Amino acid sequence: MKKWLAALAFVPTIASAEFLTGNDLYQKLTSSNVGDKMYALGYVVGIYDVNVHITICPKVENVITAGQVQDIVLQYLTINPGQRHRNAEILARDALRQVWPCANRNSRNPV
């Protein structure tokens, strides 16, 4: 995971603070534009990193790849098109939480 983050540091991007919807994230994940795909990968990996061991609790963290995290979020957005109008961060966190729930946390009560 850390190797992917290091690689992303060398991808030229425009700094911006924006709120994405699930539609925005889905478009970037499925885009043929490499910049969009890298942006989306960095976005979902960031959400994973911020939430790991808080609302996302994988059993074997050291074998999870950035591509796996991306695939989980993309699958969730593909299966739930009626939810894509919602905030992308919440949708990505929900997708990852479904796969790796924290046993000691109530899934209805996020941190």
Side-chain angles (χ1 to χ4, degrees), residues 5-26:
L5 290 175
L8 287 175
F10 295 103
V11 176
T13 59
I14 297 172
S16 66
E18 62 181 283
F19 296 98
L20 296 180
T21 67
N23 286 315
D24 299 327
L25 182 57
Y26 180 80

Side-chain angles (χ1 to χ4, degrees), residues 8 11-13 28-42 70:
L8 287 175
V11 176
T13 59
K28 289 181 185 310
L29 286 167
T30 58
S31 175
S32 59
N33 180 292
V34 174
D36 284 347
K37 284 188 165 292
M38 293 303 290
Y39 179 94
L41 178 64
Q70 177 179 282

Side-chain angles (χ1 to χ4, degrees), residues 9 15 30 53 58 74 87 92 99 111:
T30 58
H53 303 301
L74 177 57
N87 180 284
V99 175
V111 173

Side-chain angles (χ1 to χ4, degrees), residues 56-96:
I56 301 165
C57 296
K59 302 291 186 242
V60 284
E61 181 183 345
N62 60 337
V63 296
I64 294 168
T65 67
Q68 184 179 6
V69 170
Q70 177 179 282
D71 290 346
I72 290 166
V73 174
L74 177 57
Q75 180 181 28
Y76 183 88
L77 293 173
T78 301
I79 292 172
N80 297 290
Q83 297 297 315
R84 288 189 210 147
H85 65 282
R86 295 176 56 211
N87 180 284
E89 178 186 355
I90 293 169
L91 293 172
R93 188 178 62 218
D94 288 350
L96 297 169

